[in-house]
Each structure stands twice: as structure tokens, then as C-alpha cells.
Amino acid sequence: MRTAVTFVAVGLMVGIASAQDQGITSERHRENVGRIVWAKERIAFNAQDRIPLATEFEAGEPIYGRVYLAKSLVRLGAEENGGTCPNEASHYRIKVTINGEPKGVLNEQWFESPTWTTVQVTPMLVPGDEGDRQNRGIGAKWMELIKDLPDGDHAVMFEFWGGPEACETRFAEGGFTLKKKGAVKAAVGLLPESKMTDTKLEQEMIQAVKDQGWTNEHPVNVVIIEPEWRIIRDLLGTIIRREINTHVVLKKEADGSCRANDISFTQQYVGDGKYGKTEFYGLGLRSYPVACP
């Protein structure tokens, strides 16, 4: 009998836990459930009510949005359509229409937490913004959508759809007017201050990037943003390699424009206080347009 009671109690606790979510996260959230709102700067979670909203944007201008849901996607999936379309993975898609014409899926992702009731969508970042995992690659897709639009005003609508594709439901939408005049150019950002100058090392880094075999762009400059290498040791304290972070300027083959991306490099320890060749180690999320050198 005690086992049965324990089982019921545990089951009840699990059910309660699965029903919890962030709830309404701000006064702006409360006023905009089921909507996507827009601003010219990031609508940070802890500053939602302080960021001024916007309804018009110039093409190439920073555009930041925030989606406001009534409940988490897990709860919505369990309740919508008689519970026939569960969404335990918090799966969603962002769809776009321009002037009433569907332009397809701009982003397909999963919430990092099943408790979320709000998420950001960022078509165009402020130069130097590091971006976030929920919106990886969105900027490039957005530029492709708008670059060939004729000059003039365009009605843009974003729709937030949750659940598996076979039974997805639209849970939020919100749009703005996009004003386009001439070729679309993203605002140019500034490279960070160099913390180390080493011409030989910088050339080795450029070669390491070239060795990746990218065909759409090539490296033309490196800014080392750390004053020295970081030594990496194993659990026994033995040196195994060293790492350093940079911003690398990449020139696009298609149009000759440039962007900067954070890239880390490494050198393996070979003993006797010496290190091996400079190798490409990691490509970061921070990408922004810059003036070509």
C-alpha cells in the first residue's frame, strides 16, 4: 500500500513540474500575448519594458523582435487540438510574408528550456552584436529575402508556429513596415582594439583560415583580442596546448564586401617550452559587417 501511495505522489510531482513555465515575464508580455513586437535594439529579457518599440525600419537597419506566448510550447502542445499534437521538444518555426506573399521559413529551432514563454527573433543585428543560439544564421537569410525588393514601403509579417510540422499551430504574429531605397547594406561595425601585435602569427592565422577551404570568402586581416595565449592543461596539470581569440576580417568573393567573425586558434604543446603550428580551432557566433582594409 505504501508503494502505491509513493507512486501516486511521485507522479503528481512530475505532473506539477511539467505544468510549470515562466508565465508572464513583464508588463509588455502581458499586453502582447500572441504577438511579436519589434525594436531597433535587443529586447533583453531583464529590460523588456524599457526598450522603445518600433513599427518602421529602413532596410539594413537593426531589427530585433520578441515573441510573447500565453504558455510554454510544452503546455500549448498538450492543450491545443485536444492534445493530439504534443510538443515536448518545444519545436518552432518562424515564417515570413512580405506584401502578403509567403517567403517560407526563416528559422526552425527548439527552445533551450521547456519553461520558456518568450523568445527573441533577430533579423538584423547591431554591428558587433554577438547574436544568440536561437537565431543562428538568420541575418544572412533575411538579407537574401530583402535584397531584391523594389524601392518603396513593404509590409512584413512574421509568424511563430509551434509543434511538429504535420500538426503545427500558429501561436504569435507581428509585423512592421520595411522602407527600402537603393541597395541593402548593413551598418558597418568597428573592429575591437588589438591586444597583441605579431605579424608572423597573424599571417599564420590567415593561412590557417585559408586551409579550411572556404570558397565564398577569404581572410584578409586578423585582430588578436587577447594580450597573451591561454595555456590549456589536462587533469594532471600537464600542458597540452594553448589557445587565443581573434576577430578575422573575411572578404566575400561575390561582391567584395567584408565582415568580421570571432575565430579562435590553437597550438599543440610539443615539449621543452615549445609549441607546434598555428591551427584553426573554433568559429564563433559573432559576425558583423566591417569596412574592408
Side-chain angles (χ1 to χ4, degrees):
M1 184 69 176
R2 190 184 328 177
T3 302
V5 171
T6 301
F7 176 81
V8 171
V10 171
L12 180 60
M13 290 176 64
V14 171
I16 292 173
S18 65
Q20 293 175 339
D21 59 26
Q22 287 179 313
I24 301 301
T25 61
S26 66
E27 189 58 35
R28 179 163 287 165
H29 188 164
R30 187 182 312 280
E31 296 171 353
N32 290 280
V33 171
R35 297 184 60 196
I36 306 173
V37 299
W38 303 97
K40 297 184 180 182
E41 58 184 294
R42 187 175 287 278
I43 309 174
F45 184 84
N46 60 357
Q48 296 176 52
D49 293 333
R50 300 199 301 271
I51 305 300
L53 300 184
T55 58
E56 294 185 353
F57 299 87
E58 301 287 340
E61 192 173 24
I63 305 174
Y64 290 84
R66 184 170 278 279
V67 179
Y68 287 122
L69 303 176
K71 303 174 183 177
S72 68
L73 284 174
V74 173
R75 293 183 64 187
L76 290 170
E79 296 174 7
E80 293 290 318
N81 302 314
T84 59
C85 190
N87 191 9
E88 295 297 328
S90 299
H91 185 205
Y92 71 89
R93 295 176 182 82
I94 301 288
K95 301 181 182 181
V96 181
T97 63
I98 299 180
N99 300 322
E101 180 182 349
K103 296 296 182 179
V105 176
L106 184 69
N107 191 20
E108 183 168 5
Q109 265 289 2
W110 294 260
F111 281 177
E112 294 177 26
S113 168
T115 66
W116 283 5
T117 56
T118 179
V119 70
Q120 296 185 79
V121 52
T122 58
M124 183 67 72
L125 300 175
V126 170
D129 189 335
E130 295 185 7
D132 58 80
R133 287 189 293 270
Q134 291 292 309
N135 291 279
R136 189 176 298 174
I138 297 305
K141 293 180 180 178
W142 172 248
M143 289 291 281
E144 284 297 313
L145 283 183
I146 68 173
K147 68 178 184 179
D148 294 327
L149 290 175
D151 286 359
D153 292 356
H154 301 276
V156 178
M157 179 62 68
F158 280 64
E159 299 176 345
F160 180 94
W161 294 73
E165 188 173 6
C167 57
E168 63 182 1
T169 301
R170 184 175 60 191
F171 291 117
E173 64 179 10
F176 52 82
T177 299
L178 184 72
K179 295 179 172 293
K180 185 172 183 291
K181 184 177 181 180
V184 181
K185 294 183 179 180
V188 174
L190 296 175
L191 288 166
E193 179 185 356
S194 174
K195 297 297 180 64
M196 179 196 297
T197 301
D198 186 328
T199 302
K200 180 176 179 294
L201 175 59
E202 291 164 10
Q203 291 304 311
E204 291 174 355
M205 291 171 168
I206 285 177
Q207 186 58 52
V209 176
K210 288 181 177 178
D211 290 343
Q212 299 306 299
W214 298 341
T215 58
N216 61 328
E217 55 189 359
H218 64 276
V220 293
N221 190 27
V222 176
V223 176
I224 302 172
I225 62 173
E226 294 184 285
E228 59 186 14
W229 291 86
R230 285 173 286 107
I231 305 301
I232 308 301
R233 303 174 184 267
D234 63 18
L235 294 177
L236 300 177
T238 303
I239 297 175
I240 54 176
R241 56 186 169 84
R242 62 183 184 177
E243 300 174 5
I244 199 164
N245 290 322
T246 73
H247 282 208
V248 177
V249 178
L250 302 163
K251 189 169 187 177
K252 297 180 182 180
E253 306 294 347
D255 59 10
S257 64
C258 289
R259 71 179 183 94
N261 209 112
D262 57 322
I263 296 178
S264 61
F265 296 88
T266 187
Q267 293 177 346
Q268 298 298 315
Y269 186 63
V270 296
D272 196 26
K274 298 179 180 179
Y275 293 85
K277 66 178 292 188
T278 302
E279 301 176 80
F280 182 99
Y281 187 64
L283 180 69
L285 293 176
R286 190 171 186 179
S287 176
Y288 55 98
V290 295
C292 291

